[in-house]
Amino acid sequence: DAGVTQSPTHLIKTRGQQVTLRCSPKSGHDTVSWYQQALGQGPQFIFQYYEEEERQRGNFPDRFSGHQFPNYSSELNVNALLLGDSALYLCASSYLLARDEQFFGPGTRLTVL
Amino acid sequence: AQTVTQSQPEMSVQEAETVTLSCTYDTSENNYYLFWYKQPPSRQMILVIRQEAYKQQNATENRFSVNFQKAAKSFSLKISDSQLGDTAMYFCAISQAGTALIFGKGTTLSVSS
């Protein structure tokens, strides 16, 4: 049983560009959450998707958007990249009705130059 | 708003010794979950232990146990018989059922032989 997978592993972009990160949840999970982790810091919640709708959103600008597909996989899109967007982006999946543990993927390291 | 505070940026311990990591939190909710996650240098976030706030009994998972003091809003992690593989960054987190995880800034634990 594959756990949470994310692609790509690493990504380098320049300021002003747009980026798309992808996540496949653990088998049986229906909810996907995205987190941004700056170097040496704790993860910060971006948003959560359930049934293809954004269910909850953290304090991130509209440049950050997402999507969930019918197979529960998800994408995170960031427009007009800033240097400060450089971070590790973590995807976590869960089963909404289970109400507890979120399983994390290995993350995508985004570097903005 | 929920907040999590980890007051120990770094801790070190010898193999086979016991170490306690501190965490305090703030929430206005009655029903919530508390977690300790481990993030090794490989960066995959792994759940160590979780506690439901309505349960008075402290959670235990093998060498890992918590001291949950609800009135004091304290949730410390005790690691017994420390092993080299315990070297990692440890994050305390809080959530309401199925919603965003709010993380602390983390404690870097180094275990030496």
Side-chain angles (χ1 to χ4, degrees):
Chain A
D1 175 29
V4 180
T5 60
Q6 292 186 244
S7 63
T9 305
H10 296 91
L11 204 52
I12 299 175
K13 292 285 188 178
T14 56
R15 281 180 297 174
Q17 285 189 313
Q18 178 264 344
V19 68
T20 297
L21 310 181
R22 296 176 176 81
C23 172
S24 292
K26 183 178 169 65
S27 178
H29 286 182
D30 57 9
T31 302
V32 173
S33 302
W34 286 92
Y35 296 83
Q36 180 195 66
Q37 186 178 19
L39 197 61
Q41 300 295 316
Q44 289 198 303
F45 174 73
I46 303 174
F47 42 54
Q48 183 182 80
Y49 276 83
Y50 171 69
E51 290 191 338
E52 303 178 52
E53 297 284 336
E54 185 182 284
R55 180 172 178 261
Q56 188 181 9
R57 188 178 183 93
N59 189 24
F60 278 80
D62 292 343
R63 298 186 298 108
F64 289 77
S65 63
H67 188 76
Q68 186 179 33
F69 298 94
N71 67 352
Y72 306 116
S73 67
S74 177
E75 289 182 348
L76 164 65
N77 300 294
V78 186
N79 293 323
L81 284 167
L82 304 174
L83 296 179
D85 295 332
S86 295
L88 180 67
Y89 288 85
L90 296 168
C91 169
S93 74
S94 56
Y95 179 57
L96 190 69
L97 294 182
R99 293 174 162 259
D100 56 3
E101 182 181 355
Q102 295 184 21
F103 290 78
F104 283 82
T108 294
R109 172 72 65 190
L110 172 64
T111 301
V112 182
L113 302 177
Chain B
Q2 297 176 314
T3 60
V4 175
T5 302
Q6 293 179 250
S7 58
Q8 307 153 313
E10 295 181 0
M11 297 278 285
S12 59
V13 67
Q14 298 271 346
E15 267 188 304
E17 292 185 343
T18 295
V19 63
T20 299
L21 308 184
S22 301
C23 172
T24 57
Y25 62 92
D26 193 23
T27 181
S28 58
E29 304 295 332
N30 286 323
N31 297 319
Y32 53 90
Y33 294 77
L34 292 163
F35 305 86
W36 279 98
Y37 278 89
K38 167 185 177 181
Q39 189 176 38
S42 65
R43 82 190 186 201
Q44 183 98 32
M45 192 82 76
I46 303 165
L47 179 67
V48 174
I49 197 166
R50 66 174 176 266
Q51 173 87 39
E52 291 105 335
Y54 64 87
K55 290 187 177 179
Q56 293 187 335
Q57 186 172 3
N58 288 325
T60 299
E61 288 286 341
N62 301 315
R63 298 183 295 107
F64 299 88
S65 61
V66 298
N67 183 3
F68 175 45
Q69 302 289 327
K70 190 172 184 178
K73 295 183 177 177
S74 171
F75 183 62
S76 61
L77 174 69
K78 185 171 82 172
I79 305 175
S80 303
D81 185 27
S82 296
Q83 301 174 359
L84 295 178
D86 294 334
T87 293
M89 198 151 183
Y90 287 80
F91 293 98
C92 179
I94 187 172
S95 80
Q96 293 177 264
T99 63
L101 285 163
I102 307 301
F103 288 87
K105 292 187 175 182
T107 296
T108 300
L109 176 66
S110 299
V111 182
S112 56
S113 56

